[in-house]
Amino acid sequence: TSAFEKWGLMTGLTLLLPHGYEGQGPEHSSGRIERFLQLAAGNNIQVAVPTTPANLFHLLRRQVKMNTRLPLIVFTPKSLLRHPDVVSRVDEFTSGSFQELMDDSMADPGLVEKVIFTSGRLYYDLVKYKMEQGVSNVAVVRLEQLYPLPAGQIEKLLKKYTKRKELIWAQDEPENMGAWPFIQRKLGNYGFNVAARPESASPAVGLMEKHKQGLNEILKKVFTEIAVVAS
């Protein structure tokens, strides 16, 4: 992470790190997103959590084709390999490029009062809950690249939701882990609230029942509890 700044050395090293809260316990859960984000400065590395096959393809293609060689850290939730909604059309592979930020294509900006930012596997749980409950005033936005942070795209997207009253960062990880400490530091001026598991010394619990309870609490926080007007 410091090779270019210290010695002017570039590398195209790519790491695919398993990371996803599937209820299988701490050894199965965390690639330690927060630690890589602590090492990120001066555009020295790339940190991404793609949620579609096509976006993963374009991310890896960009890594090969880009002129500057930068390490690429990809967090890959294992459950998305078999998730029925994690699919891409053929034309999404043959055209387009890597999307650092993915807006909610189903949301009507005129109705949206709450904007949720998330990354990784949790996106599909949020969308499932939103669809099952018939929620129309919430937009679920995916941050596919955590670093370098697409700050300009984020600002442009938020201007689109003129009736926004709440802004939330939702993550599967405990509040002291994952991307939240980084998001709070970099985007704190937007007034993000957080929906996450309680702070913990362990990356994840070891009981499926407790894991599901934590997920349900995140969904409850996102869709019902938080009611602070974003600054």
Side-chain angles (χ1 to χ4, degrees):
T1 57
S2 61
F4 185 76
E5 184 171 330
K6 286 183 177 180
W7 306 295
L9 298 177
M10 292 189 293
T11 173
L13 174 69
T14 299
L15 300 180
L16 303 180
L17 302 179
H19 177 87
Y21 280 61
E22 327 288 1
Q24 300 300 313
E27 286 73 33
H28 296 261
S29 299
S30 185
R32 291 297 189 180
I33 289 178
E34 67 279 359
R35 294 182 181 177
F36 284 94
L37 291 176
Q38 284 178 334
L39 296 170
N43 294 334
N44 62 330
I45 60 174
Q46 306 162 89
V47 180
V49 193
T51 56
T52 71
N55 220 29
L56 174 59
F57 167 76
H58 286 297
L59 174 64
L60 297 176
R61 184 178 186 276
R62 184 183 74 172
Q63 180 69 353
V64 174
K65 301 290 286 185
M66 69 190 301
N67 294 325
T68 304
R69 312 303 294 165
L70 292 174
L72 171 62
I73 316 301
V74 187
F75 293 98
T76 53
K78 290 183 285 185
S79 67
L80 299 194
L81 290 170
R82 57 185 181 272
H83 197 293
D85 293 332
V86 184
V87 294
S88 298
R89 302 186 309 272
V90 172
D91 64 283
E92 291 176 311
F93 289 91
T94 57
S95 62
S97 60
F98 176 64
Q99 299 181 65
E100 299 169 341
L101 186 69
M102 300 178 73
D103 195 3
D104 190 335
S105 59
M106 297 179 291
D108 181 349
L111 299 177
V112 170
E113 296 180 335
K114 183 183 295 187
V115 180
I116 305 165
F117 275 71
T118 191
S119 67
R121 190 206 62 80
L122 182 61
Y123 165 77
Y124 292 97
D125 288 315
L126 293 170
V127 169
K128 179 182 178 182
Y129 186 96
K130 175 184 172 181
M131 298 297 291
E132 289 179 347
Q133 301 298 318
V135 178
S136 60
N137 66 338
V138 173
V140 183
V141 178
R142 281 172 279 182
L143 188 56
E144 301 278 283
Q145 179 172 290
L146 295 171
Y147 192 86
L149 195 65
Q153 295 181 45
I154 293 171
E155 183 176 359
K156 181 179 179 181
L157 182 143
L158 289 177
K159 288 180 179 178
K160 169 184 171 183
Y161 294 107
T162 57
K163 295 186 178 181
R164 170 176 60 90
K165 296 179 180 179
E166 301 176 45
L167 186 57
I168 300 168
W169 173 261
Q171 65 176 35
D172 246 342
E173 299 85 3
E175 189 172 330
N176 59 317
M177 303 180 195
W180 170 240
F182 174 79
I183 294 295
Q184 188 179 34
R185 178 164 57 90
K186 290 291 188 178
L187 301 175
N189 60 304
Y190 287 111
F192 273 93
N193 290 303
V194 63
R197 298 176 192 270
E199 290 188 356
S200 173
S202 173
V205 297
L207 296 174
M208 180 61 76
E209 182 179 347
K210 210 170 180 185
H211 165 80
K212 291 181 178 178
Q213 180 183 348
L215 175 59
N216 290 333
E217 288 174 357
I218 291 172
L219 295 174
K220 182 181 178 182
K221 286 181 181 179
V222 166
F223 287 99
T224 62
E225 288 189 357
I226 298 176
V228 178
V229 177
S231 60

